């Protein structure tokens, strides 16, 4: 899993998400082929878990590989 900072259209703040994409090139290919991307939010919820997240690929305006 690789950590990304993703800015979604219509959102003020970007989200930190771990995705199963080794680099931005692979993420771009996957986003072009899929309607949704599945990953883990980095922030924990009230139970202390890192929730799974489904992101609409068409809403991604920018993705930065953090690690």
């Amino acid at each position: 899993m690789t950590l990304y900072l993703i800015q979604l259209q219509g959102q003020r703040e970007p989200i930190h998400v771990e995705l199963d994409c080794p680099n931005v090139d692979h993420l771009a290919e996957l986003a072009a082929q899929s309607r949704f991307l599945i990953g883990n939010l980095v922030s924990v919820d009230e139970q202390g878990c890192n929730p799974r997240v489904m992101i609409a690929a068409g809403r991604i305006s920018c993705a930065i590989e953090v690690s």
Side-chain angles (χ1 to χ4, degrees), residues 19-65:
L19 298 171
D20 193 19
C21 298
N23 55 46
V24 172
D25 294 327
H26 187 261
L27 176 59
E29 287 179 33
L30 185 61
Q33 297 170 1
S34 305
R35 291 184 61 190
F36 297 98
L37 302 174
I38 307 294
N40 293 318
L41 286 178
V42 174
S43 59
V44 295
D45 63 10
E46 54 274 354
Q47 285 85 26
C49 298
N50 291 59
R52 299 276 290 161
V53 63
M54 182 173 74
I55 301 168
R59 289 197 54 212
I60 297 174
S61 61
C62 181
I64 300 170
E65 185 178 339

